[in-house]
Amino acid sequence: MKKETRNVVVLDWEDKIKLQQFIEDLEQISETYQSPCKELTGINNTIYYLKTIEEVIN
């Protein structure tokens, strides 16, 4: 049997506020791109995942 250890991270309202600022900054950066490219896809994926995390923080 394989033993598994998991690390748990607890995020609070301060973290949510920081995440919101990161999301806003990334959205501003993504607006500067004129055409789709690899970097823009990465930025948009990051924004999506950060928003998902932000929604889960109570």
Side-chain angles (χ1 to χ4, degrees), residues 7-55:
N7 295 325
V8 177
V9 176
V10 179
L11 301 173
D12 60 10
W13 283 101
E14 286 182 22
D15 297 315
K16 184 170 185 163
I17 292 169
K18 290 177 187 176
L19 272 177
Q20 288 171 341
Q21 185 59 50
F22 285 130
I23 291 168
E24 287 177 21
D25 292 345
L26 286 172
E27 286 174 337
Q28 289 177 0
I29 292 169
S30 72
E31 290 172 2
T32 64
Y33 283 87
Q34 299 296 323
S35 61
C37 62
K38 183 178 174 182
E39 290 81 10
L40 181 58
T41 302
I43 291 170
N44 287 334
N45 288 342
T46 303
I47 291 169
Y48 171 78
Y49 290 116
L50 289 177
K51 283 184 176 183
T52 303
I53 292 169
E54 177 199 13
E55 290 174 4

